[in-house]
Amino acid sequence: MWSPRLALGAALLPLALLVMRDVPASLPGTSESEATDSAPPHGAPRPAIVSRADWRADESMVRERARYTGPASAVFVHHTGHPNGYDCDDVPAMLRALEVEHVKGEGWDDIGYNFVVDRCGTIYEGRAGGIGRPVYGAHTKGFNRNSVGVAALGTYGEGVEVPRALIEGIAKVAAWKLRPGTDPRGTVRLVSTNDESRYDKGEAATFHVVSGHRDSHQTDCPGQALYDLLPVIRDEVARLRRP
């Protein structure tokens, strides 16, 4: 989870731990020209998403051009570690603070998550590179290839109530982004690209198609309350992808 670094107004915003720099120099089999907005058919329609332009991301801070991978075979769910009592109207400012923290505070290239969902169920574009494109994220060290990272804005530890709108927002992203034919209630075999995950580089691991960050890394992210609801999210993704 993120350590507290920046203040939004008078309040400190604790941020969830995210290990970055898991982007290879090149991605075999996927060129930037191939990874276009003309994405293959998805199992569910694209949900409404607030773009980086709309939340006024500072694109001048992004330090490296986006890289691309294949369609998502897995979704990793996170939480950001922010206080839960925020007003949803304040989320754009919170995301701008998150961008500053990641890029200027930590020295990273950009926000690591592909998408962020707030407690009102609004979905925001995270890492730059194109909403409809398979952007190589920096959300789940060792397993960023062929996956998408979705972060719940807030802290969802044991005993915390998780808003239904938040669950539905995460499910909408997963249902849209998972490659056609993927069973959201099933499992997927991924190969680690980094020794700092729970698995050595080159080691194969089996995950739920919709997993929590803790499944791949030594962290409590996405919090026990949200982690316990992953089966509910999987069922909702399956419902959304049903013909």
Side-chain angles (χ1 to χ4, degrees):
M1 293 197 290
W2 301 98
S3 59
R5 294 287 298 269
L6 293 176
L8 177 61
L12 289 174
L13 297 178
L15 306 173
L17 174 63
L18 178 64
V19 185
M20 309 290 282
R21 300 288 186 184
D22 188 32
V23 181
S26 62
L27 298 176
T30 305
S31 69
E32 185 172 346
S33 61
E34 291 170 333
T36 67
D37 284 316
S38 299
H42 293 277
R46 170 178 154 176
I49 299 171
V50 179
S51 70
R52 287 172 64 94
D54 285 339
W55 62 261
R56 302 200 306 279
D58 184 351
E59 302 300 353
S60 69
M61 281 199 296
V62 178
R63 297 184 173 189
E64 201 172 280
R65 292 178 61 194
R67 297 175 185 269
Y68 298 91
T69 182
S73 297
V75 174
F76 287 100
V77 177
H78 304 254
H79 68 175
T80 66
H82 289 84
N84 291 338
Y86 59 85
D87 189 316
C88 291
D89 289 340
D90 293 332
V91 171
M94 295 169 71
L95 293 177
R96 292 193 294 272
L98 184 64
E99 182 186 23
V100 171
E101 168 64 14
H102 290 185
V103 178
K104 293 189 175 180
E106 302 293 347
W108 298 328
D109 296 328
D110 192 6
I111 290 177
Y113 309 123
N114 296 109
F115 298 94
V116 178
V117 182
D118 71 18
R119 65 186 184 89
C120 296
T122 304
I123 302 165
Y124 292 84
E125 179 184 13
R127 196 168 184 85
I131 289 174
R133 305 174 75 178
V135 177
Y136 197 108
H139 47 83
T140 307
K141 196 164 190 177
F143 299 97
N144 289 310
R145 182 171 293 164
N146 301 337
S147 70
V148 61
V150 185
L153 192 64
T155 303
Y156 296 99
E158 188 169 4
V160 174
E161 183 176 354
V162 182
R164 177 66 191 180
L166 174 61
I167 293 171
E168 291 174 351
I170 294 171
K172 287 175 183 177
V173 175
W176 168 54
K177 273 294 182 179
L178 282 171
R179 69 168 72 222
T182 302
D183 178 3
R185 296 189 183 104
T187 59
V188 61
R189 183 176 176 273
L190 302 175
V191 177
S192 174
T193 62
N194 194 292
D195 290 333
E196 294 179 32
S197 73
R198 286 183 181 269
Y199 302 90
D200 293 336
K201 183 177 180 179
E203 184 179 355
T206 300
F207 297 100
H208 289 287
V209 167
V210 179
S211 286
H213 187 194
R214 67 170 64 178
D215 294 325
S216 70
H217 204 76
Q218 295 288 351
T219 176
D220 68 353
C221 183
Q224 191 63 48
L226 185 52
Y227 189 81
D228 288 344
L229 287 171
L230 290 182
V232 175
I233 294 174
R234 293 175 194 128
D235 286 346
E236 179 65 8
V237 175
R239 185 189 70 79
L240 291 170
R241 289 170 65 90
R242 200 170 292 140

